Amino acid sequence: MHSEMGSIWMSQIMLFLAILNATLVTTLGDNSTDSFWLLRIKSELVDPKGVLDNWFPRTHMCSWNGLVCSDDQTQVMGLNLSMSGLSGSISIEFRHLSALQMLDLSLNILTGPIPSEVGQLQNLKTLLLYSNYLSGKIPAEIGLLKELQVLRIGDNMLTGEITPNIGNLTELRVLALAYCQLNGSIPVEIGNLKHLISLDLESNNLNGLIPEEIQGCKELQNFAASNNMLEGDIPASMGLLSSLQILNLANNSLSGSIPVALSQLSNLKYLNLLGNKLSGEIPEELNWLSLLEKVDLSKNNLSGTITLLNTQLKSLRVLVLSDNALTGSIPINFCLRDSNLQLLLLARNKLSNKFPLELLNCSSIQQLDLSDNDLEGELPSNLDKLQNLTDLVLNNNSFSGTLPPEIGNLSNLEGLYLFGNIFIGKIPKEIGKLQRLSIIYLYDNQMSGQIPRELTNCTSLREIDFFGNHFTESIPETIGKLKNLFMLQLRQNDLSGSIPPSLGYCKRLQLLALADNKLSGTLPPTFRFLSELSTFTLYNNSFEGPLPLSLFFLKNLKIINFSHNRFSGTIFPLTGSFSLTALDLTNNSFSGIIPSRLTMSKNLTRLRLAHNQLAGNIPSEFGQLTELNFLDLSFNNLTGEVAPQLSNCKLLEHFLLRNNSLTGLLPAWLGSLKELGELDLSFNNFHGTIPTQLGKCSKLLRLSLHDNNLSGEIPHDIGNLTSLNVLNLERNNFSGFIPSSIQQCKKLYELRLSENHLKGSIPFELGVLTELQVILDLSTNLFSGEIPSSLGNLIKLERLNLSFNQLEGEFPHSLGKLTSLHVLNLSYNLLRGQIPSTFSVFPLNSFLSNDHLCGPPLASCSESEGQGKMMLSNTAVASIIVAIVFTSTMICLTMLYIMLRIWCNWRKVTISTTDGCVIEQKREGRWVYGDEKKRNDGYWNVNSLGLMPPPEKHNSSTTCIFHLKMEAETRDKTLV
């Protein structure tokens, strides 16, 4: 049962296939006919334009689009589907079109490889597949097409090398492989193509040498291999290609000299060798090529003088020798009066001498470029002989003098490029006759006077650049006549007065640069018409007043710089454009808050509002400015904390908030700004510690946190800032030690830590910072210990301040190596010892209050030592004298006391005797003791015990008073 059912199903399938085959034969035709295969080819293509719609089996194929049939209309001889918008791949079924002689699928959107089966089209003479998206290699089978005369498969994505089998196409006339990605060298088999007329290999990645075998292409007329990587010499054998008319080897790496053999190419019309590494002189023999029309030898290393002469190259229309090292002057016999020369470009060489008057004979010249040479002198007054001149390019030379008025007679002049010279004087009024003048560049000269009103008659003017001259007075009131003006650059002159309102009628203006002048007044309201304005710079003038509200309607503004003026009021009128990339209003008197509307300019990269009177908080919306890399809000009246949303500005490189009244802690999120190169938060009211996260800003070059209320220790992570150039933490409340990790900041050239509470020794590691140059300031801290000798390694250091610390020990002699030092302050420490002689040039106040330092400019160490000894001797002497006086006084007082007691007793005896009990004394009331001679001298002797003077010297009243005083003093002492 199952076998019977299987047989039935098999029979039905066979029947179905038979019917399908019959249908296909009916629909597509017999597979032995070209129409069958053409319909198969059609089925593999996408035809959005319907070009193949009439390819239908019920019509004769010879009526189908793009086909050329044989005379008997049985075979296809040609197929042209160029520019049909076809996509898909090239079908391998083309191999069945055996009679095909011409296949053109160019300028479509075909992809995939060139099928190797194309080599079966033995009758093919023309194969055009250029300007598609074909990829892969050139199939080697293409060398089987013995009848092929034209092969154009360039402007595709073909890769690999040029197959050597190409040399088998001995009937080939045209080989075009340009604008692909082919590599390798030019195959030597190319020399087999004896009938080749055109060889186009430009814009590939070919390398190696130009094969000598190319001389075998005897009929070659066009050889183009520009924009590759060919190297080596230009083979002299190319001089044998006598039919050559076009030789283009531009933009390779060819070297050596230009072969003299090229002068044999008597039919050569176009020679292009630009952008190689050719050297040596230009062969004078090239003057023999009388048919030459265009020569471009620019961007090489050619030297010597100009030898190509228009007097012999009578057909020459274009000569380009720019960007070489040619010297000397332009030959005096360069031009003929009946010259055909239209383009002469000699820029960026080393040509010298004056403007070549010989060029005035080339009246046919349209473009003359002598820029970037060493030409000098004045321009000839008969410059107007060049009546056909459209572009005069003389910039970056040393031309001087004034512009000749005759320049106004160059009625065809469109571009006048005279910048970078030494021209003086005024712009001649005759310039106003140049109705075709489109560009006038006079910048970087020394011209003066008023910008002539007549210039505004040049109504074709699109670009004016007078930067860096000395033009004075006002901008012409008639400037508004220049309706086509695209750029007006008047920066860095001496212009004064106000901006003429008519400037607002130059409605096509995109760049307006009036900076660095003496302009004043307010901005005219007519600026509202400058709807295309993109760049607007007015900095360094004296403009004042509030901004016109109409500026808000300039929606295309990208760059605004109004800095260093006297503008006031709100900055809101400048926030109308959402295209802003840079806004600089530094140094004005703007007030109010910072408009959060600025955040609508998502591409804003530079915002500079420093030195104004802006108040309020920093808008938290600034966190939306993710392209911002420069934010400067310094020197304003901003308050509050720094908004944490600013952490989204990951591209910030400069973050400057100096001199405001900002408060709070230093944000830890600063460490997430990996691109940060400059951080200045100084002169604010920040408190707390430096967040350790700041050590993650590895690109930081400048860190200024001085003049805040920061405290705590300097974090060890500061050493991670290995790119740091400037570290300024002075005038805070930092404590603790300088972290040793600071030695990792080897690029520091300025270090300021003064006026804090830092303590401990000065780290020895500071001596590793050998790039320190501007200053090392550790003054007014609590540093102790000795000055480390390692500081002597800082040989670039110019200023060193260690004053007002507790440093001690001797002056390190290693500091004598600091030969760049010109400011030194070690005052108010405890240093001792001798100052090295190299430091004697510093003033006395560099060493004040170090009592044990000596040596110039202080007192010499020997004097200091002598004075110390002298002071010790005087002290000892004084002590002895005091001791002697004290001892003598005590003895005298004691003796006086004894005498007084004796005298008092004696008085009592005398009184008793008077009363009848007195005994006569032989010594007349005097107690004597010792040598009689000494007694008669009347002098008091230290060793004498006599208490009274001789009788003849005695004065009883004085003596009594003296004794009474002495008694009183003695009594008082006993009561103490």
Side-chain angles (χ1 to χ4, degrees):
M1 183 67 181
H2 287 293
S3 61
E4 290 179 2
M5 288 295 294
S7 300
I8 293 172
W9 277 106
M10 185 60 71
S11 300
Q12 289 177 346
I13 291 171
M14 294 298 293
L15 178 62
F16 173 76
L17 291 175
I19 295 171
L20 179 62
N21 185 57
T23 304
L24 288 173
V25 170
T26 304
T27 305
L28 301 178
D30 187 352
N31 65 2
S32 64
T33 65
D34 287 354
S35 61
F36 175 85
W37 298 112
L38 287 170
L39 291 175
R40 290 284 294 270
I41 292 169
K42 174 186 175 181
S43 68
E44 298 180 22
L45 295 173
V46 178
D47 178 22
K49 295 183 178 180
V51 175
L52 306 180
D53 283 353
N54 72 339
W55 285 28
F56 195 71
R58 295 182 182 178
T59 59
H60 198 281
M61 68 175 183
C62 293
S63 65
W64 295 355
N65 288 337
L67 296 186
V68 177
C69 290
S70 60
D71 291 341
D72 60 2
Q73 297 192 346
T74 59
Q75 290 183 303
V76 177
M77 305 291 291
L79 175 57
N80 184 354
L81 296 176
S82 178
M83 299 180 65
S84 298
L86 300 174
S87 60
S89 59
I90 300 175
S91 174
I92 63 173
E93 309 301 352
F94 275 107
R95 61 184 172 173
H96 297 290
L97 304 178
S98 57
L100 198 64
Q101 297 182 12
M102 190 274 290
L103 175 59
D104 188 354
L105 299 176
S106 63
L107 297 161
N108 280 292
I109 318 172
L110 299 174
T111 58
I114 300 173
S116 59
E117 288 79 4
V118 76
Q120 299 179 29
L121 299 175
Q122 294 295 312
N123 292 308
L124 201 62
K125 294 183 178 180
T126 301
L127 178 58
L128 307 178
L129 303 177
Y130 63 90
S131 297
N132 278 286
Y133 293 91
L134 301 173
S135 58
K137 297 182 177 181
I138 300 173
E141 290 79 2
I142 212 161
L144 300 174
L145 303 177
K146 302 294 186 179
E147 302 296 322
L148 199 63
Q149 297 179 10
V150 178
L151 177 60
R152 298 184 62 192
I153 57 176
D155 194 17
N156 277 290
M157 301 169 66
L158 300 174
T159 58
E161 298 184 358
I162 301 173
T163 174
N165 292 354
I166 211 87
N168 298 332
L169 306 178
T170 54
E171 298 298 320
L172 204 61
R173 301 287 191 274
V174 176
L175 177 58
L177 306 177
Y179 296 98
C180 289
Q181 301 172 23
L182 301 172
N183 53 34
S185 57
I186 301 173
V188 296
E189 290 80 3
I190 208 84
N192 298 335
L193 308 181
K194 302 190 181 302
H195 301 295
L196 196 64
I197 294 174
S198 177
L199 175 59
D200 190 354
L201 305 175
E202 63 182 330
S203 299
N204 279 285
N205 298 316
L206 299 173
N207 53 39
L209 307 176
I210 299 174
E212 292 279 352
E213 289 79 1
I214 201 169
Q215 62 183 304
C217 305
K218 299 294 185 182
E219 299 179 15
L220 195 63
Q221 298 178 14
N222 173 25
F223 179 31
S226 61
N227 299 302
N228 279 285
M229 296 182 287
L230 300 173
E231 55 191 7
D233 294 347
I234 299 173
S237 58
M238 293 194 70
L240 300 175
L241 302 176
S242 57
S243 299
L244 201 62
Q245 298 179 20
I246 297 174
L247 178 58
N248 185 357
L249 301 176
N251 295 320
N252 280 284
S253 297
L254 299 169
S255 57
S257 59
I258 299 173
V260 176
L262 294 186
S263 63
Q264 301 172 25
L265 304 176
S266 55
N267 290 301
L268 198 64
K269 296 181 179 180
Y270 179 83
L271 176 61
N272 190 348
L273 302 179
L274 82 88
N276 281 284
K277 300 177 181 178
L278 300 171
S279 58
E281 298 187 1
I282 301 172
E284 188 174 353
E285 291 81 358
L286 294 184
N287 285 304
W288 301 346
L289 304 177
S290 59
L291 298 181
L292 265 181
E293 298 177 4
K294 297 181 180 180
V295 177
D296 191 343
L297 307 179
S298 62
K299 296 185 179 179
N300 279 285
N301 299 316
L302 299 172
S303 58
T305 58
I306 296 175
T307 55
L308 296 178
L309 303 175
N310 188 228
T311 52
Q312 293 173 264
L313 303 175
K314 298 181 180 181
S315 301
L316 194 63
R317 292 186 292 111
V318 174
L319 178 59
V320 184
L321 303 178
S322 303
D323 296 284
N324 279 289
L326 299 173
T327 56
S329 57
I330 298 174
I332 57 174
N333 57 342
F334 184 81
C335 275
L336 288 172
R337 292 188 180 275
D338 57 349
S339 167
N340 292 309
L341 193 64
Q342 298 174 3
L343 187 68
L344 178 60
L345 308 182
L346 305 178
R348 292 172 293 280
N349 278 285
K350 299 178 181 179
L351 300 174
S352 57
N353 219 322
K354 297 183 178 181
F355 184 93
L357 297 177
E358 298 75 30
L359 291 182
L360 301 180
N361 295 325
C362 297
S363 57
S364 58
I365 288 184
Q366 297 176 10
Q367 295 181 334
L368 176 61
D369 187 353
L370 305 179
S371 63
D372 293 276
N373 279 287
D374 298 321
L375 300 170
E376 59 185 4
E378 299 185 7
L379 296 184
S381 58
N382 54 347
L383 190 65
D384 54 352
K385 292 176 66 176
L386 302 177
Q387 283 295 320
N388 293 298
L389 201 62
T390 61
D391 292 278
L392 179 60
V393 187
L394 304 178
N395 54 276
N396 293 327
N397 279 284
S398 297
F399 289 117
S400 57
T402 59
L403 299 186
E406 290 80 4
I407 205 168
N409 298 328
L410 299 173
S411 56
N412 291 303
L413 197 63
E414 298 176 5
L416 180 59
Y417 305 86
L418 304 179
F419 61 90
N421 282 287
I422 322 174
F423 288 115
I424 60 172
K426 299 180 178 180
I427 300 174
K429 295 180 179 181
E430 289 79 2
I431 203 98
K433 296 190 295 183
L434 302 178
Q435 292 299 304
R436 296 186 179 181
L437 191 64
S438 174
I439 298 174
I440 178 170
Y441 285 173
L442 301 180
Y443 63 86
D444 283 331
N445 277 286
Q446 299 179 19
M447 302 188 72
S448 58
Q450 186 178 12
I451 298 174
R453 184 187 185 96
E454 289 78 5
L455 182 65
T456 62
N457 295 330
C458 304
T459 53
S460 297
L461 268 173
R462 296 184 68 250
E463 299 180 34
I464 297 176
D465 194 339
F466 293 167
F467 162 81
N469 280 281
H470 305 290
F471 292 116
T472 56
E473 300 186 44
S474 58
I475 301 170
E477 290 289 337
T478 53
I479 192 77
K481 293 168 61 178
L482 303 178
K483 304 297 184 185
N484 296 307
L485 200 60
F486 167 87
M487 179 184 79
L488 179 60
Q489 170 67 273
L490 302 178
R491 182 166 69 93
Q492 201 170 311
N493 279 281
D494 295 314
L495 298 171
S496 58
S498 57
I499 298 176
S502 70
L503 184 58
Y505 300 118
C506 300
K507 297 182 180 181
R508 296 184 179 179
L509 201 61
Q510 294 186 25
L511 187 152
L512 176 58
L514 305 179
D516 292 308
N517 279 286
K518 300 175 182 177
L519 298 168
S520 58
T522 59
L523 300 187
T526 54
F527 273 16
R528 67 181 181 274
F529 300 122
L530 302 178
S531 59
E532 297 184 21
L533 194 61
S534 173
T535 301
F536 193 6
T537 61
L538 302 176
Y539 58 87
N540 290 336
N541 278 287
S542 298
F543 292 112
E544 58 187 5
L547 300 174
L549 292 176
S550 57
L551 295 182
F552 184 83
F553 300 103
L554 304 184
K555 302 297 184 182
N556 289 304
L557 280 173
K558 293 183 179 179
I559 298 174
I560 301 175
N561 192 337
F562 290 0
S563 63
H564 301 277
N565 279 284
R566 301 172 187 171
F567 288 115
S568 58
T570 178
I571 66 176
F572 185 79
L574 298 178
T575 63
S577 171
F578 295 162
S579 303
L580 280 177
T581 60
L583 175 62
D584 190 345
L585 305 179
T586 305
N587 214 334
N588 279 281
S589 296
F590 289 112
S591 57
I593 63 171
I594 301 174
S596 59
R597 182 182 170 84
L598 282 171
T599 60
M600 304 297 288
S601 297
K602 301 301 182 185
N603 293 317
L604 191 63
T605 59
R606 297 173 67 86
L607 179 59
R608 306 189 67 178
L609 305 178
H611 292 274
N612 281 285
Q613 300 170 19
L614 301 170
N617 296 334
I618 301 173
S620 60
E621 292 86 351
F622 276 10
Q624 302 172 28
L625 300 176
T626 55
E627 298 297 316
L628 201 64
N629 64 45
F630 201 125
L631 178 61
D632 186 359
L633 306 178
S634 304
F635 295 93
N636 278 288
N637 301 318
L638 301 175
T639 56
E641 297 187 3
V642 181
Q645 289 83 351
L646 285 174
S647 62
N648 296 324
C649 303
K650 301 298 184 184
L651 300 181
L652 262 181
E653 297 177 11
H654 304 268
F655 191 18
L656 313 177
L657 302 178
R658 175 189 176 106
N659 282 81
N660 280 285
S661 298
L662 298 169
T663 57
L665 301 174
L666 293 186
W669 52 258
L670 288 171
S672 67
L673 305 181
K674 304 300 184 184
E675 301 299 318
L676 202 60
E678 183 179 14
L679 177 62
D680 191 346
L681 305 180
S682 58
F683 289 102
N684 278 285
N685 296 316
F686 291 111
H687 65 273
T689 60
I690 297 177
T692 58
Q693 291 87 342
L694 198 59
K696 298 178 181 179
C697 300
S698 57
K699 294 184 179 180
L700 200 60
L701 300 175
R702 185 183 185 94
L703 177 58
S704 297
L705 303 177
H706 58 92
D707 292 277
N708 278 285
N709 297 316
L710 300 173
S711 58
E713 296 187 355
I714 300 173
H716 185 272
D717 305 76
I718 207 81
N720 296 334
L721 305 180
T722 54
S723 298
L724 206 60
N725 296 149
V726 175
L727 177 59
N728 191 342
L729 304 180
E730 60 189 4
R731 289 186 290 278
N732 277 287
N733 297 313
F734 291 115
S735 58
F737 306 95
I738 298 177
S740 60
S741 62
I742 202 169
Q743 64 182 310
Q744 298 166 209
C745 304
K746 289 186 169 56
K747 296 182 180 179
L748 271 175
Y749 65 80
E750 181 176 341
L751 177 58
R752 300 175 185 263
L753 303 178
S754 65
E755 298 187 50
N756 281 287
H757 305 297
L758 300 171
K759 63 182 180 179
S761 299
I762 296 175
F764 183 86
E765 291 82 0
L766 288 183
V768 177
L769 306 178
T770 54
E771 293 301 315
L772 274 176
Q773 178 177 348
V774 176
I775 191 171
L776 172 59
D777 191 350
L778 306 179
S779 63
T780 318
N781 278 286
L782 303 173
F783 291 117
S784 58
E786 297 185 351
I787 299 174
S789 60
S790 62
L791 296 190
N793 298 328
L794 309 181
I795 58 175
K796 297 181 181 179
L797 193 63
E798 297 174 355
R799 291 184 287 171
L800 175 62
N801 190 349
L802 304 179
S803 63
F804 291 95
N805 279 288
Q806 300 171 16
L807 300 172
E808 57 188 6
E810 294 192 358
F811 197 109
H813 286 271
S814 62
L815 297 188
K817 296 186 292 183
L818 304 183
T819 55
S820 299
L821 206 63
H822 58 78
V823 175
L824 174 66
N825 193 348
L826 301 178
S827 62
Y828 295 94
N829 278 288
L830 306 172
L831 300 174
R832 65 176 183 271
Q834 183 170 356
I835 299 172
S837 59
T838 53
F839 286 81
S840 61
V841 296
F842 291 106
L844 183 64
N845 57 11
S846 295
F847 309 100
L848 286 176
S849 291
N850 287 278
D851 294 337
H852 298 292
L853 276 181
C854 61
L858 302 177
S860 69
C861 294
S862 58
E863 290 178 1
S864 177
E865 184 179 354
Q867 289 175 357
K869 292 179 179 179
M870 185 179 295
M871 288 175 62
L872 181 61
S873 177
N874 290 341
T875 301
V877 171
S879 299
I880 294 171
I881 292 172
V882 169
I884 292 172
V885 170
F886 178 76
T887 304
S888 300
T889 303
M890 292 303 295
I891 293 172
C892 291
L893 289 174
T894 302
M895 294 180 69
L896 284 173
Y897 174 73
I898 295 170
M899 182 197 71
L900 183 61
R901 292 294 300 271
I902 295 172
W903 184 77
C904 289
N905 291 332
W906 180 75
R907 288 285 296 166
K908 291 178 181 179
V909 173
T910 304
I911 292 171
S912 299
T913 305
T914 306
D915 290 334
C917 301
V918 177
I919 301 172
E920 286 291 332
Q921 300 291 328
K922 294 181 178 178
R923 305 237 178 158
E924 298 178 355
R926 287 189 301 130
W927 292 88
V928 295
Y929 180 80
D931 195 300
E932 185 66 25
K933 182 179 184 298
K934 291 181 180 178
R935 289 198 305 268
N936 294 334
D937 288 341
Y939 292 102
W940 292 47
N941 192 288
V942 174
N943 295 321
S944 174
L945 295 178
L947 298 179
M948 295 181 63
E952 60 273 19
K953 302 288 184 180
H954 181 68
N955 186 314
S956 60
S957 61
T958 302
T959 303
C960 289
I961 293 173
F962 171 75
H963 284 295
L964 290 175
K965 287 182 178 181
M966 289 299 296
E967 283 188 13
E969 289 176 1
T970 303
R971 184 173 61 251
D972 291 340
K973 287 180 180 180
T974 62
L975 296 176
V976 175

